[in-house]
Amino acid sequence: MTTETDVPRSQDRDHRALRLVLLLLTLLVGLLITAAAVYVARVHPSLAQPLGVGAAVMSALAAIASVVARTIRR
């Protein structure tokens, strides 16, 4: 009799769905933060160039998201 050890359990599927929802929620929050930073930079141009601020914020959020994703996978 053979048993398959590669068959995912239902609990793993639940966690996969939760991870996907968490990732999408994080992406949404990141986009909102970026939009807010670009808006503030456009309203007060002396602070920074709007696209530069947006790129800097997105880069920082991408780095944080990658650290969180690595931590969740372990």
Side-chain angles (χ1 to χ4, degrees):
M1 180 159 100
T2 61
T3 59
E4 293 185 34
T5 59
D6 294 335
V7 177
R9 293 177 287 193
S10 64
Q11 185 180 13
D12 292 337
R13 289 186 208 134
D14 293 341
H15 290 293
R16 185 178 295 166
L18 180 61
R19 287 179 189 162
L20 179 62
V21 169
L22 182 62
L23 180 65
L24 291 175
L25 182 62
T26 303
L27 179 64
L28 177 67
V29 169
L31 289 173
L32 286 173
I33 290 171
T34 303
V38 169
Y39 173 76
V40 168
R42 286 181 71 78
V43 170
H44 303 286
S46 62
L47 296 176
Q49 297 292 329
L51 294 178
V53 171
V57 170
M58 280 305 291
S59 298
L61 288 174
I64 292 170
S66 68
V67 169
V68 169
R70 286 182 190 164
T71 304
I72 288 176
R73 286 187 181 180
R74 292 183 184 177

